[in-house]
Each structure stands twice: as C-alpha cells, then as structure tokens.
Amino acid sequence: MNKFSIACAALLGATGLLAGPSFAQQEVKQEAKSTSGQAKVSPVTQAQLNAADKSTTNFLLTNGNYAQTRFYPAKQIDRDNVKNLHVAWIFQTDVKESLETSPIVVDGVMYVTTSFSHVYALDAKTGVQLWHYNHKMGLVTTYCCGPNNRGVQVLGDLVYLATLDAKLVALNAKTGDVVWKTDIADPELGYSETMAPTVIKDKVLIGTNGGEYGIRGFVKAYDAKTGKLIWTFNTIPENSVGVWATKDATGRDMHRNIQAEKDQLAKTGDPYQKLGGGVWQNPAIDLATNRIYFVVGNPSPDLDGSVRPGDNLYTNSLVSLDLDTGKYVCHLQYIAHDVWDLDAVSPTVLVDVKGKDGKTIPGVLHAGKTGHIYVHDRKDCSLIRFSEAMVPQENMWVLPTKEGARMLPGANGGVEWSPIATDPGQGLAYAINLHQPMTYQVENSPYPNGKLWLGGAFKAIPGEAQAGNITAVDYNTGKIKWQVKTPEPMIGGILATAGGLVFTGEGNGKFAAYNSSNGKELWNFRAGAGVNAPPSSYMVGGKQYIVVGAGGNTQVDFHRGNNIIAFSLN
Amino acid sequence: MRGKFSFGVCGIAALAALSIACITPLRAQSAQSIEQKTQVCAACHGADGKPADKTIPVIWGQQAGYLYIQLRDFKRGDRKSDIMQPIASSMERDEMQAIAEYLAQKPWPDLGQPRASKDVADRASNANRSIGCTGCHLDQFQGDGTIPRLAGQSREYLTKTIADFRSRARGNNPGMTDLMLATAPDDLAALEEYLSGL
C-alpha cells in the first residue's frame, strides 16, 4: 500500500465506517460438468433426422421433425388404454425455475435442458442421470420473459445448445464435454438465446431474442463441425419501410397515422438498426425445396410506434429463406407497424393444405398471438386463410394511450411461443391459448443503449378473469373443430400422437390426454408444479413413453418446480 | 444537488469528496487488490454490507451483472449521480467487472426491516400480478444477471429510485420507467414496503 492509500484508510477509518481487512473467500468452483455414466448413443445421421417424422423410437427434433408437425407416429398408447398411463420415473433437475424444454431422445438417451442453460443426459428408460452440463454464465445476460431454455438438438456425436448469454455450444453427446463454443451476439446490447438450435446438413440454425432491447434481429447459420459462421440473415432489412399497410393480414384497420410516420421518416430516416425483430422459435424446413420458414417477432420499442416509422419489415412476419445461402425468398407480414406486441412467435408447421381453389398444395401454418391460425401457400408465403379467433378479440386495433387502452387479446396472445401440434390425417391443428385482458399504455423514450425499451407497458387488468383453451382447428376450412376451456391461461406446448391423442399441460400442474377428434379428456395427472413445456414421446425396450417437464413458468408466473416426468403403460 | 436530497445526504457528499480523493491514487496502483479497491465503497455502502444511510443501496450480494451495468452506466453518464459518477468514471471495464463479481459474492445483509402486513403484501402481489415484476425480477425477487435483486433492499432507497425512474431522473432504463409510470403510486408504496421486508 502506498502512503496515499494509508492516509485514506486512516481518514476513512476515523469515521468509523471502514471495513476491517476482508479477504475473498477461496471460491470453490462447481465443476462445469459432472459425469456419472456415459451416454451410449451412436452418431445421429442426417438421414435419420430427415426421416424423424417416421421414427417411433426416437424424438430427434424440438418439434418432432423438420416440418414441425408435433405428430408422433407411435400408437401403443391409444384412446382405450391411455387411462392406464402411470409415472415411469421422475428426474429432478438442480434448477427450480421456469421449464420450457422439449426432451430429445436418441437411442434410449434423453437430453433435457433447464433455465440458465443447463443440459442433462438421462437414461430414457430409468431417468438415471448420465451427465450434466452446467454452463458457466457470462457476467452479463439481458433477457426477457425468464431465464428459459427450450432444448437441444443432436447431429453426429454433438449436442447443440444456445445459451442465455448468447453463445452457441457443441457438447460431446456421450460425455457432455464442450467440443466448441462461439459467441452469437453481444448480451450487453440485449441479445440472448432461449431457443433450441435446428441442425441440418452440417448447419446449425439459430435466431435470437432481444426485441425488448432495440436489437437488430437475425437468423444465423453456423458450420456444425467447427462453429464457423456461414451466413446471417438480418430480419430487419436496410429498407424496413414497406408499403404503408393500413390493414392487418385479416383486413382490420390498424389506425396508423401514415402522414405522421412519413414526417418522422423524413426527419430521422429508416429505423432498421434498432428495430428489434427477434426470432424466438425454430424454423420449419422443407427438405424438397431446401427452404426454411420461420416467424419474426415484434419491433422495438414494443408499444411506441412514433420512433419507428414504416411497416417495420420483417417484424411480425412469416419469412422464407434458401437454406444454403440464407437469401430471402418470400414473406408475409401479419401486422405492419405493430404497437401491441401481438407478434409472431409460435413455430411454423409445414403440412399439405387446401389452397384457395380447393386443391391440395404444400402449406405453412402459424398460430399468431392474435388468436388466429394463419394458413399460407408455401410457394410464395401468401395467405390462404386464417382461422376463426380462438380467443375473445375486443377493441382491435385500438391504439395504446397514456392512460392505457383495453384491448383483447392481451400482449401474451392468443398463442405465445408455445408450439402447436397437428394431425395431418385429420387436417387438424391443436393450439393452446391465453385469455388475459390487458390495457396497452404508451410512453416515449430514446434508444437506451441495449436496455429494456418497451415504449410503454401492458398491464393485466385486476379483477378481470383470465383463462385458457385447448383448440383444435380444421386448417382446410379455418373452422374450430373443438375447444376445451381451462381455468388458467395456457403456455407450454402440445403433442399429437397416432394413438388418436393430444397431450398438454396447465399452469396449475394438470397434465392430461384428450381424444384428438373431439377433445374429450381421457386421462390426467397432477404434477404439483406448472406443466408449461411441450411434451415428447419415444420408445425404449418396446414400450412407448410420454415425457414432459413440470417446472412452472416465469412469464405467466406459474408454480415453479424441477421435474422431468416420464409416463408409460404397465 | 437535487432538492429532494435530505439532510443526511450532506454527510454522504462529504464522504464522496473524500472517497474520490482516495480513489484516484488507488487506481494508479495496478497491483491493487479488489479488497483494497472496494474498501472505499464501504464508507457509504457499509463495512458489513449495511449502508451508512438508508437512501444508499445494498450492493453486497447484489447480482454481478447488474452491479457492473450500473457502474458502466454511471461512468457513461446514462445514470446520473453526483456521488457515483465520479467514483465510476476512473474505472475500466475489467475493473468494474471484477468489483461486481467480488461484491456479488458477499452475503446480502439483513437490514432488519419489518415484514409487510398482510394487507400491504396482498396489495403488492396484486400489483405484481398486473405488471409481472417477477417475470423479470424472478421468483422471490432475487434477480439474475443484469436484473437486480429487490428482496430486502433498503426501503428508503427503493422509494427514492422508483421516484427517480418515474421522474426520469434515473434515465438508464426507460423500460423500468414505463413500468413504474404504469403502476399506481399507492401500489408502488405497497411494493416498496413489501420488498424491503422480504
């Protein structure tokens, strides 16, 4: 210590406020990885992934297959015997926080993730832990809506994970050791990752969160072997102005003040650099045409449109790209210049649909926060039809005000990030819905250097009841086939199976099976914590299992837990 | 200095002058340990983590990412404070991060603030349900990363900083300003009392 600081210490000491010498505790770092066994998996081939929709043993992709149908082809568990479903095992993770993982199963080994980007490899038959990867989180994480992670994907002998501190990590599938790691974006600017990567043909595809922080969104493709960046598609093009659309995709007037926006544009120019446009969920991939389809989230700031003139392309849109190059193919914007955060998050699904002229063509489905299921032509992204509203819509599109304007749906939708399921044989799409009456309030502030930038607030209205639904929609007509009411808003996901069933969970801990043709409840289980994650299914030793995470949810504040629960018949 | 500063803060200002005088030469020493660098903080933020004045925030056991971002914001001038800006202005990024990590590992002090009554707690949890504070501040208001812990923070500091968010005197997070403006003053008062007693 030099003289100066001694003097200071003495001075401060005299005031009686100085700390005695304090020594840093020798920190005992928890091992980043603990292995209790090896995961005996053979490398996953691209051919296996391409045929994932036909596999009755594995569950290889977050939404079941590249088309993201969430239709599982095994039918050992069916409408007659589902009442006998019981717990096969429960695995307790080390993290009691929001659980949104989609379990992936390869050769009897299950990979699940938890909040804060942990990964576990489990024996899918017994629930015994094989290894645990505990990601050493960077100092700065900036995320919206919970420290969630929605899962991994496996290709070859690598497990791919995207982390809350915006890193892409490849782990050894057998041991959980890090093979490579790369920075996706800077968390200090508001970027974070919660989605599972999609891996295809030696490319790892990943979007980003950050639409609440004034990021510029993207989808990136990395080399699966090395982690080297191959291409970047900015979800916000340099010309984000568009066509000054006054109506949304369903034809309703959005009450834009186009002249005021044009004046603003003349003054401040194109706002593309801080315009948001996160991509929260996985792209669907058309293997025949080599195209990917995904949806882009809200513009930044969420509720204040005054600082971002124009349509804010490609926010709130379906977008298609060429897989090899990342080049734009087509888009359709659901809501231009959104000021309600009623954006596009739930993952797209590729199924054949009836076109406008009644002929069957390749289609794309997306369940919007607006509460509609949108049906598109895969060729040019154009909208064929949209479903009846699955939730009450009121006062759309009233503009947010200083005092707060009431509008339904609330800002979580409709349908949140929750993936839908489909049963292409029945032509049905199954979505889980939220009904949360809210007011939309606007405030104005300049870009805050990567800080929370909402441009106002959405508030649940105290005293107004919230609820949810499970809704089956006929995507060839847009009509609702059946609907089950739930006491709370629903967030998580749903799975359909060839056994004629759909499985989904609620925030109150209920996990249930329904007849997929009429919505009749056939079995249920009480998990204790919110079941707010998408279920998966698989087979080991000739037995079909259903597995789901029960860990509650941060965003809708459902009771937290740390369970992965697998069910099977006797 | 802003009019809302109370009498007690004059003492802090004097301490600030003192600390700044000390901190500059301290910086000159590259081999300075973190303990030494943070000794100066103790004058105000407390030698045992309990702040010397109720309007000064607890920083022991606070989330490291949050502490770093605040120091960064003080330095950039994004967060205004006559006291903290000069202290942070001489720090480099690495140093701020090291200090943040160090302070985050310290135990959160018990300020002995009373638990809120049931009425107040109910009002606070209704306000929380409406805005969804725990959607970001997490279960039990423990925070994570760049989101601060609020549980057990000094009530007077919470009152001050929430008022500063509302008036934009604290302008380093317009998102929090919007949310505070969208919450009724009575609800905020209940939240302050409730959070401090956690």
Side-chain angles (χ1 to χ4, degrees), chain A residues 114-136:
Chain A
T114 69
S115 274
F116 305 107
S117 319
H118 291 240
V119 187
Y120 292 88
L122 310 174
D123 182 324
K125 192 172 174 181
T126 60
V128 168
Q129 177 180 320
L130 303 173
W131 54 255
H132 169 203
Y133 171 71
N134 179 358
H135 182 68
K136 170 111 179 64

Side-chain angles (χ1 to χ4, degrees), chain A residues 254-274:
Chain A
M254 297 178 297
H255 303 118
R256 283 173 73 177
N257 184 340
I258 301 285
Q259 193 51 52
E261 285 184 45
K262 285 187 171 162
D263 294 348
Q264 181 71 26
L265 184 69
K267 253 194 291 179
T268 51
D270 195 304
Y272 72 95
Q273 277 170 328
K274 315 272 187 266

Side-chain angles (χ1 to χ4, degrees), chain A residues 58-73:
Chain A
N58 294 332
F59 199 94
L60 294 173
L61 289 117
T62 292
N63 293 308
N65 46 63
Y66 285 125
Q68 309 204 121
T69 57
R70 291 204 140 263
F71 178 78
Y72 198 68

